[in-house]
Amino acid sequence: MQTLSIAFSNCALLVRRNSVGNRNRVNLSFISSSSSSSAPTLFCQSKSKSHTDSLRVLEWDKLCDVVASFARTSLGREATKKKLWSLDQSFDESLKLLEETEAAIKMLEHGSFCLDLSSIQISLVESGIRNARRRMSLRADQALEVASLLCFFDNLQLDLKAAIKQDGDWYKRFMPISEMIMLPVINRSFIKLVEQVIDVDGKIKDSASSDLRLARERVRTVERKLQQLLEAIVRSQKANESVMVVAEVDGRWCIQMSSSQLTSVNGLLLSSGSGGGTAAEPIAAVSMNDELQSARASVAKAEADILSMLTAKMQMDLDQIEDVMRYSIQLDVINARATYSRAYGGAHPDIYLPPEDGVDSESLSAGEHSLENNLSGEESLPRKEWLLYLPRCYHPLLLHQHKRRIRKTQEAVKYHKTADTVSVSGDPPVPADFQIAKGTRVLVITGPNTGGKTICLKSVGLAAMMAKSGLYVLSSESARLPWFDNIYADIGDEQSLLQSLSTFSGHLKQISEIISHSTSRSLVLLDEVGAGTNPLEGAALGMAILESFAESGSLLTMATTHHGELKMLKYSNSAFENACMEFDDLNLKPTFKILWGVPGRSNAINIAERLGLPCDIINKSRELYGSTSAEINEVILDMERYKQDYQRLLNESRRYIRVSRELHENLLTAEKNINNHATRERLKMRQELIQAGSMARSTLRRTLQQFRASAAQFSRSKVATQVKTTKDGDNVTPSPSMVARRPISENAAEKSNTKLPQVGDSVFVSSLGKKVTVLKVEQSKKEILVQVGIMKMKVKLTDVVV
């Protein structure tokens, strides 16, 4: 056992590091200098107290309230708060919760689904189910809300079926919500029954039953007769100068008047219940009032019978209705997480389960080059090589306050308020980039007061709890962080003037409980570790605590400090990493940005000099501070300057890369457009050629037909002229040419043995007016195939002249 003893003025603090298996523990205890037997111990066995205190200082309860405000029902808000506050989810449960949130966001973006239950009073549904369980009759408003809830879930099932009908993949995309929606069985007959007997105002309809209709008609008739009777009595008493009004007192109609006035109304005096007034029930109206009470009793009995019937119908499917209410509350909780995540621009976190012991071979190798990795920016390492990677991470409560101020300003402008009454929205919160490489177990953040160190701790702690509970983290799309089994925090007010022993001991007690309960998968957040006591002793204590956490006390420890000794741990232990909050020396204010891999430097003397403190005091303070410390500050200043230059060049290179990618994409798009245009032009030219060829063939065919028709007509007219000439001159002997060119008629070929043309013969075709060579004779078709120059065609035998 190793023991480090640190003496205080009135007490001693023992830091014991005990090795238990593979775990190293640090037990902190106060030992009084006067009596060791009565020393109070700081070791606490209660895990819930340290866990609850951590949630309180991280203001997790406030964030739970913000998320719960997005739930649409009272039971949904209660369930949301309870589920978020518990933080008892396993890794698989956290993954399922994130899947539910993602599915709900997809359903909201789809636009066809309504997950808003604000129109349903879920508390009435719960009380109605409770009455049915106890065999008590339902109220009309309870039955109406139960039917409304069933109708809401039925419409949700129909919308989901319609979406799945359009695209079957939607069922998988909406998992596990789609399974939750389709699982309950909806009794539509109960919905129709309630709609038939109860109106939209929660009143039982007259048409619900014949008995109810008759009873209500009887009530209306009796009330009308009573009013007529009483009004007649009032009119008859006008001469008495009494102010009389027909009114209903305790369910009985009567005449109300001032007690200071006398009346001659013969009746019973009733208590009017209004500041000394008098109500009289005339004797003539007593029997009618009794009849009215009887009629109203009949109405109540008929309504009770109807509600008993509805209760019996509901009891038949009570288990299914309870399932619908349970799923509805669960949907309301999921919808609250999804709506909050969308409203604040959250990103789906990539959570992973770290190794059991918190270290592996990859993290060890990464730890040796953590400074180089952190300095190289987000482009140097793949996202999976980071232990925790939250680019542009916002503190959710600061962002909520900023959005609320904006809404108030917009509302003020909307209602035309003057500029004096409109509050300024203020500057938006500055997001921080968290890039912690594998192998880093302890991150030491330094910087000036009000520089944003505590906000950084809370931002990481809240982001880890949001991811674990199924919420999107307020970071960019590439967020990645491990699943932490517990998040512990010791955060106090470092600006308080009450840094007394009690405050110091309270911090140590909380740290002791954190050490006793933290595991190798825990996140530990320590604000101003070692503060509140002598700087040397506080620095020694802080170094011992952080080294204990670095060995095996937690998966990741983030600590803020003003002790310069803690910044040196990085150079002796590869599990440590430094970061500091950037400070603007010109404007003397922090920029709320993190510089990774750079230890913070002291700015007190420089700030004092810029604020006008006398030069002799400044010189004396620098002399007392020491030249070595000044040189270290100069080195740190150079590192900050190099870091800023590097970041500027890195951003510029990223901008050039982005522009080159855009140009490359534009070039690819232009090339694609050119190729598409060339393809369209080729297709267009091909279609034009095909169309031109078709038109040319059609024109040629038409011209050829016209030529054949004109040639045949010319041949027939010529033959007719020759025949006429032959008839006119009987003594004239026909010439051999005329006989040879006589067409071969069909009858002549059949009656005589006229010889048909043979293959190779030269014949005269009248339709062409030319001699052709016979290539083929088809006697059955009465056609021959001839060759005219370079063309081949078929002609009829009737066109051939012998």
Side-chain angles (χ1 to χ4, degrees), residues 688-717:
E688 291 177 353
L689 289 175
I690 292 174
Q691 186 177 3
S694 177
M695 293 178 61
R697 285 193 296 271
S698 176
T699 303
L700 180 61
R701 190 180 300 110
R702 187 168 55 254
T703 303
L704 183 60
Q705 290 175 355
Q706 293 175 356
F707 176 75
R708 288 179 176 178
S710 60
Q713 184 179 2
F714 174 76
S715 177
R716 285 193 296 271
S717 61

mmCIF file of all heavy atoms in Angstrom, residues 688-717:
data_model
loop_
_atom_site.group_PDB
_atom_site.id
_atom_site.type_symbol
_atom_site.label_atom_id
_atom_site.label_comp_id
_atom_site.label_asym_id
_atom_site.label_seq_id
_atom_site.Cartn_x
_atom_site.Cartn_y
_atom_site.Cartn_z
ATOM 1 N N GLU A 688 -34.488 11.055 -87.304
ATOM 2 C CA GLU A 688 -34.704 11.871 -88.502
ATOM 3 C C GLU A 688 -34.332 11.107 -89.765
ATOM 4 O O GLU A 688 -35.028 11.185 -90.788
ATOM 5 C CB GLU A 688 -33.900 13.167 -88.410
ATOM 6 C CG GLU A 688 -34.411 14.128 -87.345
ATOM 7 C CD GLU A 688 -33.539 15.373 -87.238
ATOM 8 O OE1 GLU A 688 -32.482 15.388 -87.905
ATOM 9 O OE2 GLU A 688 -33.919 16.304 -86.497
ATOM 10 N N LEU A 689 -33.207 10.345 -89.716
ATOM 11 C CA LEU A 689 -32.822 9.559 -90.902
ATOM 12 C C LEU A 689 -33.843 8.475 -91.205
ATOM 13 O O LEU A 689 -34.191 8.223 -92.371
ATOM 14 C CB LEU A 689 -31.440 8.940 -90.660
ATOM 15 C CG LEU A 689 -30.254 9.909 -90.652
ATOM 16 C CD1 LEU A 689 -28.968 9.174 -90.289
ATOM 17 C CD2 LEU A 689 -30.107 10.582 -92.006
ATOM 18 N N ILE A 690 -34.318 7.812 -90.140
ATOM 19 C CA ILE A 690 -35.325 6.763 -90.345
ATOM 20 C C ILE A 690 -36.591 7.363 -90.937
ATOM 21 O O ILE A 690 -37.197 6.795 -91.869
ATOM 22 C CB ILE A 690 -35.615 6.047 -89.018
ATOM 23 C CG1 ILE A 690 -34.384 5.249 -88.573
ATOM 24 C CG2 ILE A 690 -36.820 5.126 -89.143
ATOM 25 C CD1 ILE A 690 -34.532 4.628 -87.193
ATOM 26 N N GLN A 691 -36.980 8.522 -90.426
ATOM 27 C CA GLN A 691 -38.192 9.177 -90.942
ATOM 28 C C GLN A 691 -38.003 9.628 -92.383
ATOM 29 O O GLN A 691 -38.908 9.466 -93.220
ATOM 30 C CB GLN A 691 -38.535 10.370 -90.036
ATOM 31 C CG GLN A 691 -39.854 11.039 -90.396
ATOM 32 C CD GLN A 691 -40.192 12.154 -89.448
ATOM 33 O OE1 GLN A 691 -39.404 12.448 -88.553
ATOM 34 N NE2 GLN A 691 -41.346 12.764 -89.617
ATOM 35 N N ALA A 692 -36.796 10.164 -92.713
ATOM 36 C CA ALA A 692 -36.537 10.594 -94.091
ATOM 37 C C ALA A 692 -36.522 9.404 -95.041
ATOM 38 O O ALA A 692 -37.046 9.470 -96.167
ATOM 39 C CB ALA A 692 -35.205 11.337 -94.154
ATOM 40 N N GLY A 693 -35.902 8.281 -94.618
ATOM 41 C CA GLY A 693 -35.888 7.091 -95.462
ATOM 42 C C GLY A 693 -37.287 6.556 -95.705
ATOM 43 O O GLY A 693 -37.626 6.107 -96.816
ATOM 44 N N SER A 694 -38.102 6.583 -94.639
ATOM 45 C CA SER A 694 -39.479 6.111 -94.794
ATOM 46 C C SER A 694 -40.245 6.991 -95.761
ATOM 47 O O SER A 694 -40.996 6.487 -96.616
ATOM 48 C CB SER A 694 -40.166 6.096 -93.425
ATOM 49 O OG SER A 694 -41.513 5.719 -93.547
ATOM 50 N N MET A 695 -40.045 8.304 -95.636
ATOM 51 C CA MET A 695 -40.731 9.213 -96.559
ATOM 52 C C MET A 695 -40.243 9.018 -97.985
ATOM 53 O O MET A 695 -41.031 9.060 -98.943
ATOM 54 C CB MET A 695 -40.502 10.663 -96.115
ATOM 55 C CG MET A 695 -41.160 11.012 -94.799
ATOM 56 S SD MET A 695 -40.810 12.709 -94.272
ATOM 57 C CE MET A 695 -41.534 13.610 -95.631
ATOM 58 N N ALA A 696 -38.920 8.777 -98.175
ATOM 59 C CA ALA A 696 -38.379 8.571 -99.528
ATOM 60 C C ALA A 696 -38.943 7.296 -100.152
ATOM 61 O O ALA A 696 -39.307 7.262 -101.326
ATOM 62 C CB ALA A 696 -36.854 8.509 -99.467
ATOM 63 N N ARG A 697 -39.018 6.218 -99.333
ATOM 64 C CA ARG A 697 -39.588 4.975 -99.868
ATOM 65 C C ARG A 697 -41.053 5.154 -100.239
ATOM 66 O O ARG A 697 -41.520 4.644 -101.253
ATOM 67 C CB ARG A 697 -39.434 3.871 -98.829
ATOM 68 C CG ARG A 697 -38.003 3.336 -98.715
ATOM 69 C CD ARG A 697 -37.974 2.039 -97.898
ATOM 70 N NE ARG A 697 -38.393 2.250 -96.527
ATOM 71 C CZ ARG A 697 -37.566 2.585 -95.535
ATOM 72 N NH1 ARG A 697 -36.268 2.746 -95.786
ATOM 73 N NH2 ARG A 697 -38.024 2.763 -94.321
ATOM 74 N N SER A 698 -41.776 5.864 -99.413
ATOM 75 C CA SER A 698 -43.188 6.100 -99.707
ATOM 76 C C SER A 698 -43.350 6.925 -100.974
ATOM 77 O O SER A 698 -44.201 6.619 -101.832
ATOM 78 C CB SER A 698 -43.844 6.818 -98.515
ATOM 79 O OG SER A 698 -45.182 7.134 -98.806
ATOM 80 N N THR A 699 -42.504 7.957 -101.135
ATOM 81 C CA THR A 699 -42.582 8.786 -102.348
ATOM 82 C C THR A 699 -42.217 7.978 -103.598
ATOM 83 O O THR A 699 -42.870 8.075 -104.657
ATOM 84 C CB THR A 699 -41.646 9.998 -102.210
ATOM 85 O OG1 THR A 699 -42.013 10.732 -101.036
ATOM 86 C CG2 THR A 699 -41.737 10.898 -103.424
ATOM 87 N N LEU A 700 -41.165 7.154 -103.487
ATOM 88 C CA LEU A 700 -40.749 6.338 -104.627
ATOM 89 C C LEU A 700 -41.819 5.330 -105.007
ATOM 90 O O LEU A 700 -42.104 5.114 -106.198
ATOM 91 C CB LEU A 700 -39.434 5.616 -104.280
ATOM 92 C CG LEU A 700 -38.848 4.711 -105.375
ATOM 93 C CD1 LEU A 700 -38.521 5.544 -106.624
ATOM 94 C CD2 LEU A 700 -37.586 4.019 -104.880
ATOM 95 N N ARG A 701 -42.440 4.708 -103.986
ATOM 96 C CA ARG A 701 -43.499 3.733 -104.272
ATOM 97 C C ARG A 701 -44.680 4.401 -104.944
ATOM 98 O O ARG A 701 -45.261 3.862 -105.912
ATOM 99 C CB ARG A 701 -43.925 3.069 -102.962
ATOM 100 C CG ARG A 701 -44.851 1.879 -103.175
ATOM 101 C CD ARG A 701 -45.261 1.251 -101.840
ATOM 102 N NE ARG A 701 -44.104 0.792 -101.102
ATOM 103 C CZ ARG A 701 -43.647 1.359 -99.991
ATOM 104 N NH1 ARG A 701 -44.268 2.444 -99.514
ATOM 105 N NH2 ARG A 701 -42.576 0.903 -99.387
ATOM 106 N N ARG A 702 -45.036 5.569 -104.489
ATOM 107 C CA ARG A 702 -46.174 6.289 -105.072
ATOM 108 C C ARG A 702 -45.861 6.724 -106.498
ATOM 109 O O ARG A 702 -46.704 6.618 -107.406
ATOM 110 C CB ARG A 702 -46.510 7.500 -104.190
ATOM 111 C CG ARG A 702 -47.780 8.224 -104.615
ATOM 112 C CD ARG A 702 -48.246 9.241 -103.559
ATOM 113 N NE ARG A 702 -47.201 10.185 -103.225
ATOM 114 C CZ ARG A 702 -46.521 10.166 -102.086
ATOM 115 N NH1 ARG A 702 -46.774 9.234 -101.183
ATOM 116 N NH2 ARG A 702 -45.576 11.070 -101.846
ATOM 117 N N THR A 703 -44.636 7.204 -106.743
ATOM 118 C CA THR A 703 -44.236 7.622 -108.095
ATOM 119 C C THR A 703 -44.238 6.439 -109.052
ATOM 120 O O THR A 703 -44.674 6.540 -110.221
ATOM 121 C CB THR A 703 -42.846 8.266 -108.042
ATOM 122 O OG1 THR A 703 -42.869 9.366 -107.127
ATOM 123 C CG2 THR A 703 -42.426 8.752 -109.416
ATOM 124 N N LEU A 704 -43.736 5.279 -108.567
ATOM 125 C CA LEU A 704 -43.703 4.084 -109.408
ATOM 126 C C LEU A 704 -45.100 3.613 -109.765
ATOM 127 O O LEU A 704 -45.371 3.216 -110.909
ATOM 128 C CB LEU A 704 -42.930 2.971 -108.697
ATOM 129 C CG LEU A 704 -42.737 1.653 -109.475
ATOM 130 C CD1 LEU A 704 -41.976 1.913 -110.778
ATOM 131 C CD2 LEU A 704 -41.978 0.644 -108.628
ATOM 132 N N GLN A 705 -46.025 3.682 -108.813
ATOM 133 C CA GLN A 705 -47.401 3.290 -109.104
ATOM 134 C C GLN A 705 -48.024 4.221 -110.120
ATOM 135 O O GLN A 705 -48.735 3.772 -111.038
ATOM 136 C CB GLN A 705 -48.211 3.294 -107.801
ATOM 137 C CG GLN A 705 -47.836 2.175 -106.841
ATOM 138 C CD GLN A 705 -48.578 2.291 -105.531
ATOM 139 O OE1 GLN A 705 -49.306 3.264 -105.312
ATOM 140 N NE2 GLN A 705 -48.389 1.312 -104.648
ATOM 141 N N GLN A 706 -47.759 5.533 -109.974
ATOM 142 C CA GLN A 706 -48.293 6.475 -110.953
ATOM 143 C C GLN A 706 -47.713 6.219 -112.344
ATOM 144 O O GLN A 706 -48.414 6.289 -113.348
ATOM 145 C CB GLN A 706 -47.993 7.917 -110.493
ATOM 146 C CG GLN A 706 -48.723 8.345 -109.241
ATOM 147 C CD GLN A 706 -48.301 9.724 -108.783
ATOM 148 O OE1 GLN A 706 -47.392 10.322 -109.383
ATOM 149 N NE2 GLN A 706 -48.950 10.214 -107.709
ATOM 150 N N PHE A 707 -46.401 5.900 -112.390
ATOM 151 C CA PHE A 707 -45.766 5.630 -113.678
ATOM 152 C C PHE A 707 -46.359 4.383 -114.334
ATOM 153 O O PHE A 707 -46.637 4.357 -115.539
ATOM 154 C CB PHE A 707 -44.266 5.463 -113.470
ATOM 155 C CG PHE A 707 -43.521 5.087 -114.721
ATOM 156 C CD1 PHE A 707 -43.273 6.032 -115.720
ATOM 157 C CD2 PHE A 707 -43.082 3.781 -114.922
ATOM 158 C CE1 PHE A 707 -42.588 5.666 -116.872
ATOM 159 C CE2 PHE A 707 -42.406 3.427 -116.070
ATOM 160 C CZ PHE A 707 -42.151 4.371 -117.053
ATOM 161 N N ARG A 708 -46.585 3.352 -113.542
ATOM 162 C CA ARG A 708 -47.171 2.125 -114.076
ATOM 163 C C ARG A 708 -48.586 2.378 -114.582
ATOM 164 O O ARG A 708 -48.981 1.870 -115.655
ATOM 165 C CB ARG A 708 -47.185 1.043 -113.008
ATOM 166 C CG ARG A 708 -45.807 0.470 -112.691
ATOM 167 C CD ARG A 708 -45.912 -0.583 -111.603
ATOM 168 N NE ARG A 708 -44.629 -1.211 -111.345
ATOM 169 C CZ ARG A 708 -44.432 -2.149 -110.402
ATOM 170 N NH1 ARG A 708 -45.459 -2.523 -109.630
ATOM 171 N NH2 ARG A 708 -43.248 -2.664 -110.228
ATOM 172 N N ALA A 709 -49.357 3.151 -113.824
ATOM 173 C CA ALA A 709 -50.735 3.424 -114.251
ATOM 174 C C ALA A 709 -50.759 4.221 -115.544
ATOM 175 O O ALA A 709 -51.542 3.922 -116.464
ATOM 176 C CB ALA A 709 -51.473 4.175 -113.134
ATOM 177 N N SER A 710 -49.898 5.222 -115.680
ATOM 178 C CA SER A 710 -49.882 6.025 -116.908
ATOM 179 C C SER A 710 -49.382 5.207 -118.097
ATOM 180 O O SER A 710 -49.912 5.333 -119.217
ATOM 181 C CB SER A 710 -49.005 7.270 -116.714
ATOM 182 O OG SER A 710 -47.669 6.891 -116.399
ATOM 183 N N ALA A 711 -48.383 4.328 -117.846
ATOM 184 C CA ALA A 711 -47.888 3.491 -118.951
ATOM 185 C C ALA A 711 -48.953 2.513 -119.413
ATOM 186 O O ALA A 711 -49.122 2.266 -120.634
ATOM 187 C CB ALA A 711 -46.629 2.747 -118.500
ATOM 188 N N ALA A 712 -49.705 1.912 -118.477
ATOM 189 C CA ALA A 712 -50.763 0.971 -118.861
ATOM 190 C C ALA A 712 -51.859 1.690 -119.620
ATOM 191 O O ALA A 712 -52.392 1.172 -120.624
ATOM 192 C CB ALA A 712 -51.334 0.310 -117.596
ATOM 193 N N GLN A 713 -52.223 2.883 -119.237
ATOM 194 C CA GLN A 713 -53.258 3.642 -119.935
ATOM 195 C C GLN A 713 -52.799 4.011 -121.351
ATOM 196 O O GLN A 713 -53.568 3.918 -122.315
ATOM 197 C CB GLN A 713 -53.593 4.909 -119.131
ATOM 198 C CG GLN A 713 -54.736 5.726 -119.734
ATOM 199 C CD GLN A 713 -55.054 6.947 -118.898
ATOM 200 O OE1 GLN A 713 -54.375 7.167 -117.894
ATOM 201 N NE2 GLN A 713 -56.071 7.687 -119.309
ATOM 202 N N PHE A 714 -51.515 4.392 -121.455
ATOM 203 C CA PHE A 714 -50.998 4.723 -122.796
ATOM 204 C C PHE A 714 -50.993 3.502 -123.706
ATOM 205 O O PHE A 714 -51.339 3.588 -124.878
ATOM 206 C CB PHE A 714 -49.576 5.276 -122.651
ATOM 207 C CG PHE A 714 -48.896 5.517 -123.959
ATOM 208 C CD1 PHE A 714 -49.230 6.627 -124.749
ATOM 209 C CD2 PHE A 714 -47.936 4.631 -124.433
ATOM 210 C CE1 PHE A 714 -48.581 6.819 -125.957
ATOM 211 C CE2 PHE A 714 -47.316 4.838 -125.637
ATOM 212 C CZ PHE A 714 -47.621 5.941 -126.416
ATOM 213 N N SER A 715 -50.641 2.338 -123.166
ATOM 214 C CA SER A 715 -50.599 1.112 -123.978
ATOM 215 C C SER A 715 -51.989 0.727 -124.433
ATOM 216 O O SER A 715 -52.193 0.337 -125.598
ATOM 217 C CB SER A 715 -49.955 -0.007 -123.160
ATOM 218 O OG SER A 715 -49.960 -1.206 -123.880
ATOM 219 N N ARG A 716 -52.988 0.842 -123.517
ATOM 220 C CA ARG A 716 -54.351 0.466 -123.910
ATOM 221 C C ARG A 716 -54.899 1.406 -124.980
ATOM 222 O O ARG A 716 -55.551 0.983 -125.941
ATOM 223 C CB ARG A 716 -55.258 0.498 -122.672
ATOM 224 C CG ARG A 716 -55.034 -0.695 -121.745
ATOM 225 C CD ARG A 716 -56.167 -0.776 -120.727
ATOM 226 N NE ARG A 716 -56.174 0.382 -119.848
ATOM 227 C CZ ARG A 716 -55.492 0.438 -118.698
ATOM 228 N NH1 ARG A 716 -54.771 -0.599 -118.300
ATOM 229 N NH2 ARG A 716 -55.529 1.515 -117.961
ATOM 230 N N SER A 717 -54.590 2.679 -124.856
ATOM 231 C CA SER A 717 -55.089 3.629 -125.859
ATOM 232 C C SER A 717 -54.420 3.389 -127.210
ATOM 233 O O SER A 717 -55.053 3.487 -128.264
ATOM 234 C CB SER A 717 -54.854 5.072 -125.396
ATOM 235 O OG SER A 717 -53.459 5.308 -125.228
#
